Amino acid sequence: MQILGGTYKGRKIRSSSSLAIRPCSSRVKKSLFDMLTARMDFEGVSVLDLFAGFGSLGFEALSRGAQSVCFVDQHVDALKAMKATALQLALHDRVKIVNSDVLAFLGRTTGQFDLLFCDPPYSWPDYERLIEKMFASTLLSQDGLVLMEHSAHLDFSHSPFYSFHRDYGMTRVTFFQH
């Protein structure tokens, strides 16, 4: 796994052999960041990376100019890998790594973010509640975007926050906005 663009292009993102963590594929990540780059300027953007895994999406955003990233995950291997990558890239002052259940974190955080990545396990039992929690507070800035990666068989077009989606084989990324 490596960073595909920006200041840290080509630099490695630490990972582990844990099968419990499914990183975003390079093909999906490249497509997402091509779309995002056409829609927004990353300079000064505050990012929240939920179910962060090894932090591939958040580190990509930092490489492209994001001001800060808050990573949330509860897998020990993932937390160690993200910390190692942040230190290796000298980004520790722009990164916050939170060891927490995502729903618990969403219930207590007071931060506000411009871009939110959410990549829960495909077997996540309650996507509707997750979407509701992400939009129930001032978590997302008024012009902010949420990108949720999930199984292509799930459809969230009925959500009042739904914007559009892209399919990549068995993977779907749904974009949400206020």
Side-chain angles (χ1 to χ4, degrees):
M1 234 182 341
Q2 66 181 8
I3 295 174
L4 303 176
T7 305
Y8 302 102
K9 181 179 180 177
R11 301 285 297 272
K12 299 285 186 210
I13 295 171
R14 297 280 179 97
S15 63
S16 78
S17 59
S18 174
L19 297 177
I21 302 165
R22 174 193 42 81
C24 182
S25 75
S26 292
R27 182 182 83 130
V28 172
K29 184 166 71 166
K30 180 184 181 333
S31 177
L32 292 179
F33 277 90
D34 286 349
M35 281 189 280
L36 285 171
T37 300
R39 293 174 170 269
M40 67 188 299
D41 179 6
F42 283 93
E43 288 300 318
V45 168
S46 178
V47 178
L48 177 60
D49 193 345
L50 300 172
F51 303 97
F54 301 121
S56 177
L57 297 173
F59 285 115
E60 189 73 35
L62 285 167
S63 182
R64 293 169 187 250
Q67 176 182 333
S68 63
V69 176
C70 178
F71 295 101
V72 180
D73 207 300
Q74 58 183 15
H75 287 93
V76 174
D77 290 342
L79 299 167
K80 286 179 185 176
M82 285 185 285
K83 186 174 183 177
T85 300
L87 289 171
Q88 168 190 319
L89 299 176
L91 290 169
H92 52 278
D93 59 330
R94 294 170 50 198
V95 165
K96 181 177 180 182
I97 300 171
V98 180
N99 179 0
S100 177
D101 170 80
V102 166
L103 291 177
F105 174 83
L106 290 173
R108 71 174 179 268
T109 190
T110 58
Q112 188 173 64
F113 302 91
D114 304 303
L115 180 59
L116 200 156
F117 296 116
C118 186
D119 189 5
Y122 282 7
S123 63
W124 185 256
D126 197 355
Y127 279 91
E128 299 295 336
R129 184 166 168 230
L130 183 60
I131 295 165
E132 180 184 302
K133 281 219 174 232
M134 287 189 289
F135 285 95
S137 66
T138 59
L139 178 73
L140 190 65
S141 66
Q142 191 56 41
D143 296 326
L145 278 172
V146 173
L147 281 71
M148 182 181 296
E149 184 176 337
H150 53 86
S151 171
H153 78 275
L154 295 176
D155 179 20
F156 298 109
S157 60
H158 61 279
S159 169
F161 308 109
Y162 174 85
S163 186
F164 66 96
H165 70 266
R166 292 286 185 267
D167 290 338
Y168 306 91
M170 297 303 295
T171 297
R172 175 172 289 170
V173 178
T174 301
F175 288 67
F176 298 93
Q177 286 185 283
H178 284 289

